[in-house]
Structure formats: structure tokens, C-alpha cells
Amino acid sequence: MTEGKWDEKFVVFLKKYYWDDILQLANSYPDQRSLEVDFYDLDVFDREIANELLFNPDEVLPSANNALQQIDLPVEKKLIDAKVRFVKIPNKIPNRDLRSKHLLQFVAIEGMIRKATEVRPKVLNAAFQCMRCEHVTMVPQNEIKFVEPVECENETCGRKGPFKILVNQSVFVDAQKLQIQESPENLKGGTQPQSLDVDIEDDLAGLVKPGDRVIINGVLRSHQRTTREGKSPFYDLVLHANSIEYTDLEFDELEITPEEEEEILALSRDPEIYQKVIGSIAPSIYGYEDVKEALSLQLFSGVAKHLPDGSRVRGDIHMLFMGDPGVAKSQLLRYMVKLSPRGVFASGKSASSSGLTAAAVRDDLGDGRWTLEAGALVMADMGIAAVDEMDKMSTEDKSALHEAMEQQTISVAKAGILATLKSRCALLGAANPKYGRFDRYEGIAQQINMPPALISRFDMIFVLLDTPNEDMDSKIAKHILKSHYAGELSEQRKNLPSSTITQEQVDGHMEVIKPVINPDFLRKYVAYSRRNIFPVMEDEARDHLVKFYMDLRRMGDGKDAPVPVTARQLEALVRLAEASARLRLSNVATMDDAKRTTRIVYSCLRQVGVDPDTGAFDVDVIASGTSKSQRDRIKTIKEIIKSVGEKHPGGKAPLEEVYAEAQNQQIDRQHAEDLIARMRRSGDLIKPDKEHVKVV
């Protein structure tokens, strides 16, 4: 077909299918310069053109644009620079499967934006002025070679330079370079994500930022590599974008068939649904029923709310595991990343703050300019970010988490780039105590190398202790050995041709560690719930949460009583109740959900929010690292040292006298020594010699 025939066909097609959209475009032109066309409409209209678009886009795209620009409009306007943007392209190819056969085809690439340069003007037609005779030469883009001089068209001059470009007479278009990489959830374990450079122009430039999940449709081209020795035989793939589709809707990449939807709904009606989900979380790890129940709620998450004043209340549930080595913390984290429809795993020791949040990097993508690169928390947007060894992170890296956890955004101010990225993910952290094992008689903040302000942002903190218990140890040992035995049978049958082990034997022993719900199906169940279920809490359930909160607060009514809980814990209760309703696909959070929530939170608070000296709930044990009773004792010791010091020259108080006076005020010697050591570390006391102390 000749070019004219393509143009005419497109005029007929656009008028038939998109007349109203064209009129709307004309009203908004030139602010809006794109007409979005669904590929399937073109396929229904003329299969031949649709096929040509996929395999010969360089012939078809100009015709589509010409047709749009030629259409007679009922208004006094010409769509001179308007473009047709094709969406829903069936030729979707994963990054790692792109080959030379796909060159010059119209393809759809799905993934996450990893880097984005600034939007800058790009010359389409350059006007060069000869510096000698001032003659102006117009050069189209495909002939512009900035490195080589352009020959002057003036016959009497004939010079080869120098020239200057006339900006006011040249034609420019906005341009930007992106890098799109495979989404983390589509990667098989241990594989490096593949990325692809993308060139975007005109009104598409500046639409996306790092961390956005998109499908970019465009023509795949190749650019020859250049090395120091000259041009290389290798080519880099570059996608010249025609359109961008957002897939930022929750877990759009997980396709659920109608049959699977029926299965999901049937499973949600199962009265044992909670036990089944709990039994599907890390079945190879024995016990931890309460921890697994909390993890199941974290998977489903509460509902994020957007308030009329523009603020956003997070729905994601943050959890922290803290405890002895060898209690399977890391295994639980890795399993949760596998179950979450979007999950990213990072280790605190090997992750820097920019690796977790976002980095400003300088590379060849933007001709040596600074670009933004998304980190783990941005990539886990709408999923779970599991960070192991949180206590090993540097102070700067921990401070980067504050905003990511509460506001769920990441503000970047680096190398002149000011940007805010989304990190709407639940954080699942694990940390080890400073001195190897957890000491139940010391506050959590003293034992974990993390700022109390960061610890207080977690909705739930679980302390996993490794305490010898004959009955429990026996069950764990048997479970571990059964798991290993099942693995041994499976490996021998797979790798030893002479093996007499049958598949039935393997399956029988695998039952011990087989999840009740298949992990792939559970991911879809979670995605379906988070996409479609938005529970509202019943009055009765709300009253129960308020009563629970008020009962705890009432413990702090007395003048000298500690503050048991803060409003942060109440928000955590709401999120957990919503997650509990979502787990069984209910749009109503009932009294049962509220009771389940208060039971989990109460067991959590009993582990970490209790003053070891008095046994009372005290939120300061978590929030500031010092309980109310400890603060009172520090004050008493300080006054004792002051009064004893006044009786001695230079205000130096003998330690033995201080201990004796402390004993009179019901503070035993052990506690007094600990408190004096703490005050010395904080700079409130000095020790002039071994026998004396003095208040600063």
C-alpha cells in the first residue's frame, strides 16, 4: 500500500472510532497534544493495518499522525503537532527476552522506572549561521553532526565553520531518557534485573519518575556502541516510546482468571481460613503461631485513607522481630517477600541509605547528568520491604527510614535534584540484641542499636527468645529432622537413577512442610483482597478498640504513673482490625476482628512494653529507652549525690556513702551502680577518681 492509502484509511478509522476524543483534543490543544488509541479498535477496523503497525511501525506511525493532523475540524484549529499514541499492544515482551528479531518492531515493555534524567530540549531542525558570511543553513535532525562542521551553503563562502546554532530559528522538542527494569516480583531468585534504555519526547517527557510501574509501548531500535578504539560491532537496544500506560494500581501485574476468582471466593468462606493462611506462612518453621498470625495480617494490610485536608493515613502495618540468633528471623522475612504480591528483601549491613531510599547517580544515561535511581523501599511500593540486620545499619541509613515509615514517601534532595518518591510499603524488620542474647530484665531500647523514635514507629514488635524447654525443643527437633528427611528423599529420587524411593513416599513425607495454600495462589488471594476489599468497622468493634485503649491509658492516670500506650498503638489496632476483615474478604470489620486484634497487640505489649522493675505497661520503655520508674530513680540518685557532695570539698561524693543513702531510699546497690553508669554515659555525672562521683 502507498503512503496515501494509509493516510486515508486512518482518517476513516479516527473519524469512526474517536471523533468525540478528537473534538475534546481540539478544545485542549496545544496543552494536550496526544490522542490515545486502543490497538484492539484498530484490529477490529482493519487487521492488516494492525499487523503492519506491529511489524512495520516506521511506515504506519507517520500515517496515523498525518491523518490526525489532516482531519477537518468544526472549530478554527489545526492539530499541527498532535500525535497518535497506541495503547494495549499485544506484543508484550519481557526485558530479558528482547532479541535482534524484535528490532524495528512495535513492542510493549512492562516494568519499573529505575532512573530518569531531567527533561531537556532536543533539536529537531537546526539553523546554523556561518560566522564568516552570516548565511543561515537549515539542517534536519538526521543530518546534524555536532562534532563535525557543517559546510556553508553560500557558494561565495564555502567555509566549513565555525558555525553557531540559532536557537530562535531552530525547532526543539522536550526530551528525556529513562531506564526501565523488570519489576522485582517477576524475578526468579538470584537473577539480576535486566534494564532497557528508553527515549521519550514531546508531551510524554516528564510524566514518570523513578519507582513508577508502567508499560511503555514503542519502537525498538539499536544504537551502535563506541569505544576508545572506535565503533564497536555491538549495539545497545533503545526503546523509542510512543505511549506510556500506568500499572500503579495495586498488583495489576497479577492476572486473576474468573476460575481463580471463584476459588478465591470459595476459600474466603472457609471457617478455617485464618488457620489455613497461618499454616501457609513458612511451614518449615515450627511454632510461632502468634507471630505468623500477625504476619498474615501484615500481608493483607489495613486501608490507606486520604483525608479532606490532603493528608494520608497509612494502612500498611510495620513489624519488627527482635531476638536471639538462630530463631529463624531471616527465614520468616524471606518467606514473606515470596508471599507478598510485591516484595523486596534487603540486608541492613549491605544496604546503604540510598540503596534503601533513592540515589542520585551520575552516568552515561543522561550524558553525564545526575539521575535519580529508586531504592528497595521505592521498589516495594504497595508491597512488603523486608530489611534484615536492621541494627547493623549506619545511623544515617536509619534516619532515612523515619519518613519512609510514617509518611510513606521518600524526599530526595541530592545533587540539585528535589523530588518526592512513593514508598507505600509495609516494613518488616529483623534485628539482633547488641550483646548476642536478649536480656528480659533490660529495656528493649538499650539492647537494640536503633533510635527509640524509629522503634516506636513499628505497629508490632515481637521478641523471639531461644529458651530451653524440653517439650518444645523435642517438637522442634522432630520437625526439623522430618523436613530434612523429606528433602533427602526428594533429592535422592531426583539425582540417583538407581534409587528405589517412589514419588508417593516423597509426597507423604513432604506433607509436614507443605503449605496449606499454594504460595502462588495465596499471592493472588492477597492481591484480590487488597484490590477489592475496603472494610468499614462496625460500631461495636470500634467501641471495643476504644475501651481496650482507654483501659490501658487508665493505668497512667496517677500522678507518678507511667504512660502505658500512645495514640500510635490505637492506630495500629485499627489497621490490624481492617486487615483481619480483609483476610476473609469481608467489607465489614466485626467484633471478632477487633478481639483478634486486641489479643495480638496485648501479647506484643506484654513482651516489650513492660517496665521490668514494676511490671506496669510503660510506652516509654519502647519510645525513649528509659521507663518512668528508671527516670524517677535517676532523679533520686542525682539528688543523693548532690546532698552527699555538699558535705565534702569540691562537691565530690564518696561512692560508698551514696550507695548507703540509696539503700535507705529502697534502691539496692546493683541498681544504684547501673544508674550511675548510665548517668556517666549520658554526661550528667563525672567520676574524678575511682572512689568519688560529682554532679556536672
Side-chain angles (χ1 to χ4, degrees):
M1 261 189 197
T2 65
E3 193 175 310
K5 286 180 181 175
W6 287 124
D7 287 9
E8 285 170 22
K9 281 228 171 188
F10 267 111
V11 169
V12 174
F13 166 69
L14 293 174
K15 279 186 171 179
K16 183 178 178 183
Y17 285 83
Y18 289 94
W19 182 244
D20 291 343
D21 295 325
I22 292 169
L23 293 178
Q24 204 173 330
L25 173 64
N27 285 333
S28 312
Y29 188 84
D31 296 329
Q32 186 188 337
R33 298 191 297 282
S34 292
L35 177 71
E36 207 168 86
V37 170
D38 192 320
F39 176 84
Y40 291 100
D41 289 341
L42 184 64
D43 197 35
V44 169
F45 173 73
D46 189 322
R47 180 154 289 184
E48 188 189 352
I49 300 183
N51 208 42
E52 281 293 309
L53 173 64
L54 294 181
F55 297 102
N56 293 306
D58 285 339
E59 289 181 25
V60 179
L61 287 173
S63 280
N65 293 334
N66 289 343
L68 178 60
Q69 292 159 13
Q70 288 165 13
I71 284 177
D72 291 326
L73 299 169
V75 289
E76 288 295 314
K77 243 184 198 179
K78 283 282 178 192
L79 305 176
I80 303 164
D81 294 321
K83 298 276 191 297
V84 175
R85 309 281 184 202
F86 289 97
V87 295
K88 299 189 179 157
I89 303 300
N91 202 9
K92 195 184 278 189
I93 301 164
N95 262 0
R96 61 182 60 245
D97 294 342
L98 287 172
R99 297 291 181 267
S100 55
K101 66 181 180 184
H102 299 121
L103 284 172
L104 301 179
Q105 286 186 15
F106 201 73
V107 296
I109 305 292
E110 184 174 4
M112 175 190 279
I113 301 298
R114 183 161 166 260
K115 295 181 191 173
T117 65
E118 303 136 312
V119 178
R120 287 288 177 264
K122 175 183 171 185
V123 69
L124 288 182
N125 294 300
F128 289 99
Q129 186 180 45
C130 177
M131 298 287 279
R132 182 181 181 190
C133 69
E134 299 192 345
H135 179 81
V136 177
T137 306
M138 294 296 295
V139 184
Q141 183 188 10
N142 57 351
E143 291 177 26
I144 294 172
K145 294 180 178 63
F146 286 101
V147 192
E148 300 162 18
V150 181
E151 190 171 325
C152 182
E153 287 179 344
N154 187 351
E155 291 175 8
T156 58
C157 175
R159 262 185 82 156
K160 289 204 171 183
F163 290 86
K164 74 171 181 181
I165 188 165
L166 297 175
V167 175
N168 57 341
Q169 291 182 36
S170 302
V171 180
F172 290 91
V173 67
D174 288 327
Q176 186 184 26
K177 283 180 180 288
L178 305 174
Q179 201 170 73
I180 186 172
Q181 77 167 37
E182 295 166 288
S183 296
E185 61 276 1
N186 296 334
L187 296 177
K188 301 288 178 283
T191 52
Q192 172 103 1
Q194 301 261 338
S195 54
L196 176 71
D197 289 353
V198 182
D199 282 348
I200 56 177
E201 291 180 0
D202 205 12
D203 54 342
L204 294 182
L207 291 183
V208 295
K209 56 185 180 299
D212 287 351
R213 289 162 188 267
V214 293
I215 296 170
I216 301 184
N217 308 299
V219 182
L220 190 69
R221 303 189 189 281
S222 60
H223 290 187
Q224 191 169 15
R225 288 184 188 175
T226 51
T227 61
R228 287 177 189 169
E229 289 76 38
K231 290 188 175 179
S232 162
F234 288 95
Y235 281 72
D236 288 319
L237 294 175
V238 180
L239 185 69
H240 285 217
N242 171 264
S243 66
I244 298 174
E245 299 173 64
Y246 282 90
T247 59
D248 237 1
L249 301 169
E250 240 168 296
F251 318 128
D252 238 27
E253 63 277 5
L254 276 182
E255 288 176 19
I256 296 170
T257 62
E259 295 78 25
E260 285 172 330
E261 188 176 346
E262 277 180 35
E263 274 185 70
I264 286 167
L265 293 170
L267 180 61
S268 72
R269 292 189 286 271
D270 189 327
E272 298 288 306
I273 180 64
Y274 288 98
Q275 284 68 37
K276 285 190 173 178
V277 173
I278 292 165
S280 304
I281 294 175
S284 60
I285 299 166
Y286 186 80
Y288 292 142
E289 297 301 316
D290 54 340
V291 174
K292 289 180 181 180
E293 187 172 7
L295 285 172
S296 66
L297 297 185
Q298 187 189 35
L299 265 180
F300 288 86
S301 100
V303 180
K305 292 108 182 161
H306 295 84
L307 305 181
D309 63 355
S311 60
R312 178 181 180 276
V313 179
R314 70 175 164 94
D316 294 301
I317 297 160
H318 300 317
M319 279 175 59
L320 176 67
F321 293 151
M322 188 194 161
D324 302 333
V327 290
K329 297 190 295 295
S330 301
Q331 266 183 282
L332 283 169
L333 261 62
R334 286 188 180 277
Y335 204 90
M336 285 296 284
V337 166
K338 192 170 85 172
L339 282 183
S340 172
R342 281 183 194 165
V344 173
F345 182 89
S347 179
K349 193 135 192 191
S350 59
S352 63
S353 60
S354 52
L356 282 174
T357 54
V361 291
R362 198 172 200 155
D363 65 357
D364 52 18
L365 176 63
D367 307 318
R369 286 201 295 266
W370 289 96
T371 60
L372 269 187
E373 194 169 315
L377 293 178
V378 179
M379 289 188 166
D381 186 38
M382 304 299 245
I384 288 179
V387 183
D388 202 2
E389 308 270 354
M390 279 192 80
D391 52 311
K392 309 286 192 306
M393 291 163 67
S394 70
T395 314
E396 179 203 335
D397 305 344
K398 287 173 196 158
S399 64
L401 291 175
H402 282 89
E403 181 197 358
M405 286 180 74
E406 206 54 51
Q407 279 72 46
Q408 297 204 295
T409 57
I410 286 164
S411 300
V412 180
K414 297 173 183 175
I417 299 172
L418 295 173
T420 302
L421 307 177
K422 292 171 186 166
S423 65
R424 298 159 297 178
C425 62
L427 186 66
L428 177 59
N432 291 318
K434 272 184 199 172
Y435 308 113
R437 286 199 173 270
F438 190 80
D439 181 357
R440 60 177 64 214
Y441 298 107
E442 197 176 344
I444 190 170
Q446 281 82 45
Q447 300 190 63
I448 187 168
N449 190 18
M450 281 169 71
L454 186 63
I455 297 174
S456 71
R457 279 177 161 76
F458 285 97
D459 296 303
M460 288 187 286
I461 301 171
F462 283 97
V463 176
L464 308 179
L465 298 177
D466 184 13
T467 46
N469 175 311
E470 194 172 338
D471 182 43
M472 194 65 176
D473 291 347
S474 166
K475 287 176 180 170
I476 291 172
K478 283 176 183 169
H479 184 80
I480 290 170
L481 288 172
K482 276 181 187 172
S483 307
H484 277 272
Y485 183 62
E488 287 164 356
L489 292 176
S490 171
E491 289 303 308
Q492 192 184 97
R493 187 177 190 282
K494 196 164 42 178
N495 298 312
L496 205 67
S498 60
S499 173
T500 55
I501 295 161
T502 63
Q503 188 60 45
E504 286 73 31
Q505 283 176 286
V506 173
D507 292 344
H509 285 90
M510 281 287 183
E511 281 298 317
V512 185
I513 49 171
K514 198 175 174 190
V516 186
I517 305 169
N518 178 290
D520 289 336
F521 184 68
L522 184 56
R523 283 177 80 218
K524 291 187 176 182
Y525 185 94
V526 173
Y528 181 86
S529 171
R530 290 184 64 158
R531 249 186 241 165
N532 302 301
I533 306 298
F534 298 92
V536 174
M537 209 177 294
E538 285 182 340
D539 293 345
E540 193 184 11
R542 278 209 309 273
D543 293 343
H544 178 76
L545 294 187
V546 170
K547 184 177 181 301
F548 176 78
Y549 174 70
M550 291 307 295
D551 286 348
L552 286 177
R553 288 287 289 185
R554 215 166 279 127
M555 295 178 187
D557 270 358
K559 189 178 81 162
D560 293 324
V563 178
V565 288
T566 64
R568 265 191 180 153
Q569 276 74 33
L570 180 60
E571 287 196 336
L573 287 167
V574 173
R575 283 190 274 270
L576 289 160
E578 290 166 353
S580 176
R582 273 183 155 180
L583 194 146
R584 58 170 202 284
L585 302 190
S586 167
N587 279 312
V588 179
T590 63
M591 187 66 167
D592 288 342
D593 297 315
K595 283 180 175 173
R596 179 174 292 105
T597 296
T598 50
R599 174 173 50 77
I600 293 171
V601 169
Y602 190 79
S603 74
C604 236
L605 284 171
R606 281 231 66 87
Q607 285 185 320
V608 294
V610 172
D611 181 346
D613 296 325
T614 63
F617 279 122
D618 185 352
V619 77
D620 290 348
V621 173
I622 304 169
S624 68
T626 311
S627 65
K628 171 80 169 57
S629 64
Q630 280 177 328
R631 280 200 306 275
D632 292 344
R633 284 183 179 149
I634 285 171
K635 200 173 172 185
T636 307
I637 290 281
K638 208 171 184 178
E639 283 167 4
I640 290 171
I641 294 168
K642 236 184 213 170
S643 63
V644 172
E646 284 168 4
K647 301 171 192 170
H648 294 82
K652 293 196 284 187
L655 278 168
E656 289 305 322
E657 283 186 43
V658 172
Y659 294 147
E661 186 57 38
Q663 195 86 40
N664 294 339
Q665 300 203 28
Q666 276 74 48
I667 302 174
D668 62 53
R669 185 179 178 119
Q670 178 68 46
H671 267 98
E673 285 176 357
D674 287 349
L675 294 170
I676 287 171
R678 179 180 285 204
M679 288 160 76
R680 276 187 62 209
R681 282 199 299 271
S682 64
D684 293 334
L685 294 180
I686 56 170
K687 207 170 176 188
D689 54 56
K690 282 186 178 180
E691 309 299 327
H692 296 83
V693 282
K694 182 182 174 182
V695 176
V696 175

